[in-house]
């Protein structure tokens, strides 16, 4: 993602295949008074099909396809729903703004599915919309002073009530790859928005999209009402779920490519809702990550993972290490290392039993993060860099963190072995990791040919549906017991057996056809 910034408007271009969860790395706009439109150079057509100029309505390059995708959700002109109302309220709160909106951009209008802080409004003409520009380019937009910007100063929302001065919006991009609308926060005073606020807005947007996808799936199955309710976007209900033990971990194996043995298990949080069943993290983690829940949920996951690690040590053989994910919020202040090492001591384990995984997004305070991670590493806890290749962090920033393992993002692995760009990117990443002494784990391995190529390229470990989907603790332990019974096979036979088993189960074809519902909305 690249940023175009001209005197007070920042327009963040969304590169193909990139994830806007890395938005905080892009920085924030300046506070200069004069504003110049930062979208002028983008080749977005107007309604006549020509290039855009002046105050014309900017259209998505595939506008008709986008509109068809939007209408497939059958969400326009529907009554208010609590999940979207919660998202609009939280958008305002995380951005410190009085107004938050879930806006869907139709052919001639923007329609507000949810709005917080502004009564009686249902939407506007599309020509009166900031959000239309966000949708047209499928990229976030920040306007610090709309009155000083010749494009937006003439909007009725700016010149009249409610008197909008500042705007921050991120696109809602559905599974079709089309922008449906935006999640935005607006203010009545000129101001900027911090990188952390924009990142929180992007995280909330992913939750909104997850609910839209569930709505469309329900419609395809003939359900007239969504299968989920407001609970996934209700912090109070999530607190209750945490207290009731409804947040659990499923465990996915990390295997040796050479022999197929499981050497690690990644703990992935799930919500075992008593009425809605097992909810994937895409539905509730955006709320967790933007509320006071992130630290207690993080502690809960560590406790569950360490309890499972201790149980595995009662079994014969060398137990695999257990990995947990660490969020940026947990690294914003000192205390993570003390909390994790204290939990390890309570469970009577060696620090080497645990690996902490952090995303490629550089924490808000890299010095604090580095100190906390150094304390963990020096005590013997493994430190892994997750989703490598998905973000915008510079190599220098990443090498400044005390990591011992790099996990290649599934987006890099997906094109193997046929896509030349994927081949080049993964090969260079493996070579670089070897040169600086880092272990490599390839994520998202779904097909035997991917595993074979990665092994030849020098990757030592892999993770993905080819080797096993995430399972509850008891089932994951049973899978390890079954693997131990096959451990006498010649080197490499176990890996080939796993590949054949996955193929016979239709793993790759089921993935492609979307038959895994927990992954349809972004579950790991």
């Amino acid at each position: 993602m690249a940023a175009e910034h001209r005197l007070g408007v920042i327009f963040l271009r969304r590169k193909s295949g990139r994830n806007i969860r890395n938005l905080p790395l892009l920085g924030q706009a300046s506070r200069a008074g004069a504003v110049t439109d930062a979208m002028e150079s983008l080749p977005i057509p107007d309604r006549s099909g020509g290039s855009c100029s002046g105050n014309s309505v900017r259209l998505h390059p595939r506008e008709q396809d986008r509109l068809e995708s939007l209408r497939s959700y059958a969400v326009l002109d529907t009554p208010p729903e609590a999940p979207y109302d919660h998202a609009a309220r939280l958008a305002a709160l995380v951005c410190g703004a009085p107004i938050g909106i879930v806006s869907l951009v139709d052919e001639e209008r923007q329609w507000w599915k949810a709005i917080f802080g502004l009564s009686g409004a249902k939407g506007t003409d599309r020509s009166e919309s900031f959000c239309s520009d966000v949708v047209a380019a499928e990229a976030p937009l920040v306007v610090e002073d709309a009155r000083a910007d010749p494009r937006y100063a003439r909007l009725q929302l700016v010149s009249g009530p409610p008197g909008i001065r500042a705007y921050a919006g991120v696109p809602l991009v559905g599974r079709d790859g089309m922008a449906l609308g935006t999640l935005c926060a607006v203010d009545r005073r000129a101001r900027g928005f911090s990188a952390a606020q924009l990142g929180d807005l992007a995280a909330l947007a992913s939750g909104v999209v997850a609910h839209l996808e569930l709505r469309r799936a329900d419609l395809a199955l003939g359900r007239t009402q969504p299968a989920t309710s407001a609970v996934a976007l209700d912090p109070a209900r999530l607190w209750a779920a945490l207290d009731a033990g409804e947040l659990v971990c499923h465990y996915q194996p990390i295997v040796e490519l050479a022999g197929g043995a499981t050497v690690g298990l990644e703990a992935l949080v799930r919500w075992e809702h008593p009425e809605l069943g097992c909810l994937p993290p895409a539905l509730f983690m955006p709320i967790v990550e933007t509320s006071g829940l992130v630290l207690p949920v993080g502690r809960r996951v560590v406790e569950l993972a360490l309890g499972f690690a201790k149980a595995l040590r009662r079994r014969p053989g060398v137990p695999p290490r257990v990995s947990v994910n660490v969020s940026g919020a947990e690294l914003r202040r000192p205390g993570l290392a003390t909390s994790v090492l204290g939990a390890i001591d309570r469970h009577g384990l060696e620090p080497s039993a645990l690996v902490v995984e952090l995303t490629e997004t550089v924490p808000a305070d890299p010095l604090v993060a580095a100190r906390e991670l150094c304390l963990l590493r020096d005590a013997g806890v493994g430190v892994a860099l997750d989703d490598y290749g998905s973000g915008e962090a510079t190599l220098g920033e990443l090498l400044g963190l005390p990591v011992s393992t790099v996990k290649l993002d599934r987006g890099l692995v997906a094109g193997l072995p046929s896509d030349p760009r994927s081949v080049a990117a993964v090969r260079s990443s493996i070579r670089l990791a070897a040169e600086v002494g880092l272990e490599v784990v390839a994520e998202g391995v779904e097909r035997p040919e991917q595993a074979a190529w990665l092994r030849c390229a020098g990757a030592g470990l892999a993770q993905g549906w080819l080797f096993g989907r995430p399972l509850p603790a008891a089932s994951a332990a049973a899978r390890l017991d079954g693997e131990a019974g096959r451990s006498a096979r010649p080197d490499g036979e176990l890996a080939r057996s796993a590949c054949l088993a996955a193929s016979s189960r239709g793993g790759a074809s089921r993935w492609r056809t979307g038959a895994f519902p927990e992954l349809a909305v972004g579950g790991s």
Side-chain angles (χ1 to χ4, degrees):
M1 189 181 290
E4 276 196 28
H5 178 210
R6 302 181 187 175
L7 303 176
V9 175
I10 183 167
F11 183 82
L12 308 175
R13 282 184 172 176
R14 186 175 185 270
K15 294 180 182 177
S16 175
R18 304 307 289 237
N19 191 333
I20 61 173
R21 69 177 174 80
N22 295 307
L23 188 56
L25 301 174
L26 297 170
Q28 64 186 68
S30 73
R31 299 186 180 275
V35 179
T36 302
D37 185 4
M39 294 178 67
E40 289 172 349
S41 62
L42 296 178
I44 302 170
D46 63 13
R47 293 198 183 278
S48 64
S51 62
C52 180
S53 62
N55 291 326
S56 301
V57 173
R58 291 183 168 101
L59 301 182
H60 190 278
R62 296 172 57 192
E63 179 67 9
Q64 193 56 46
D65 291 339
R66 190 195 70 81
L67 290 171
E68 290 177 3
S69 178
L70 172 62
R71 288 160 188 164
S72 71
Y73 294 85
V75 67
L76 294 172
D77 299 311
T78 55
E81 296 176 63
Y84 304 99
D85 292 340
H86 284 309
R89 178 174 60 86
L90 287 170
L93 291 176
V94 300
C95 290
I99 300 170
I101 304 172
V102 177
S103 175
L104 300 174
V105 179
D106 200 4
E107 184 173 10
E108 301 286 347
R109 59 172 177 159
Q110 65 166 342
W111 177 73
W112 294 336
K113 173 62 179 171
I115 186 163
F116 171 80
L118 191 64
S119 60
K122 297 293 185 182
T124 71
D125 186 86
R126 188 169 177 178
S127 64
E128 292 287 326
S129 169
F130 294 86
C131 298
S132 182
D133 286 352
V134 177
V135 165
E138 287 188 1
L141 171 67
V142 171
V143 179
E144 293 189 333
D145 189 353
R147 290 185 188 174
D149 179 3
R151 175 162 181 81
Y152 301 111
R154 53 91 192 173
L155 300 183
Q156 180 61 37
L157 293 173
V158 175
S159 60
I164 291 174
R165 293 288 297 275
Y167 171 94
V170 296
L172 303 172
V173 180
R175 288 195 71 206
D176 299 339
M178 299 293 175
L180 310 170
T182 72
L183 179 65
C184 61
V186 298
D187 209 324
R188 295 184 176 92
R189 60 186 177 90
R191 52 163 289 190
F193 292 86
S194 72
Q197 288 171 332
L198 294 174
D200 288 343
L201 201 61
L204 289 170
S206 68
V208 172
V209 171
H211 277 274
L212 287 169
E213 295 300 341
L214 281 175
R215 177 188 182 86
R216 185 162 65 169
D218 290 334
L219 291 170
L221 294 172
R223 301 186 183 124
T224 58
Q225 297 294 328
T228 59
S229 68
V231 294
L233 284 173
D234 183 353
R237 181 61 183 88
L238 276 166
W239 276 110
L242 183 63
D243 293 338
E246 294 172 9
L247 296 187
V248 301
C249 286
H250 288 193
Y251 298 88
Q252 186 173 35
I254 300 169
V255 306
E256 289 180 335
L257 281 168
T262 296
V263 296
L265 292 161
E266 182 177 0
L268 300 165
V269 67
R270 301 289 189 265
W271 183 356
E272 291 285 359
H273 193 277
E275 298 172 358
L276 302 175
C278 184
L279 300 181
L283 281 180
F284 59 89
M285 283 307 294
I287 305 304
V288 170
E289 292 172 356
T290 55
S291 69
L293 281 158
V294 66
L295 296 180
V297 168
R299 289 192 293 267
R300 168 72 173 169
V301 170
V302 168
E303 290 289 340
L304 290 171
L306 290 173
F308 184 54
K310 185 174 183 178
L312 292 179
R313 273 149 180 75
R314 303 189 186 103
R315 289 174 153 75
V318 179
R321 304 176 84 182
V322 178
S323 302
V324 296
N325 290 282
V326 174
S327 73
E330 293 174 274
L331 290 167
R332 288 176 184 169
R333 59 185 67 87
L336 174 68
T338 299
S339 175
V340 170
L341 294 175
I344 290 173
D345 187 62
R346 284 195 304 276
H347 284 273
L349 294 169
E350 293 295 322
S352 59
L354 187 70
V355 177
V356 296
E357 298 185 6
L358 61 150
T359 63
E360 186 181 342
T361 303
V362 176
D365 190 337
L367 292 178
V368 171
R371 284 196 296 268
E372 293 297 307
L373 294 173
C374 280
L375 289 171
L376 291 171
R377 181 200 60 187
D378 293 345
V381 176
V383 180
L385 180 66
D386 198 12
D387 299 334
Y388 179 77
S390 67
E392 298 291 331
T394 67
L395 180 60
E397 289 170 326
L398 298 179
L399 293 180
L401 298 174
V403 301
S404 55
T405 302
V406 170
K407 300 186 75 175
L408 301 181
D409 184 68
R410 65 180 63 247
L412 292 178
V413 174
L416 297 177
S418 58
D419 179 40
R421 292 172 296 182
S422 297
V423 166
V426 173
R427 183 177 284 128
S428 64
S429 297
I430 292 173
R431 183 169 57 248
L432 174 62
E435 289 175 354
V436 296
L438 299 178
E439 185 178 53
V440 173
V441 180
E443 294 185 293
V445 179
E446 302 163 16
R447 303 188 303 276
E449 59 267 28
Q450 290 175 323
W453 187 94
L454 287 161
R455 180 181 177 184
C456 292
L461 305 175
Q463 178 179 354
W465 283 68
L466 178 62
F467 306 105
R469 62 191 178 94
L471 293 176
S475 300
R479 179 166 53 192
L480 289 173
D481 290 341
E483 178 182 305
R486 300 191 300 272
S487 61
R489 298 184 183 184
D491 181 52
E493 185 176 345
L494 183 58
R496 291 192 295 273
S497 162
C499 295
L500 291 172
S503 299
S504 67
R505 291 193 303 267
S509 62
R510 287 175 64 204
W511 173 276
R512 288 192 294 270
T513 56
F516 298 127
E518 61 267 50
L519 292 185
V521 290
S524 297

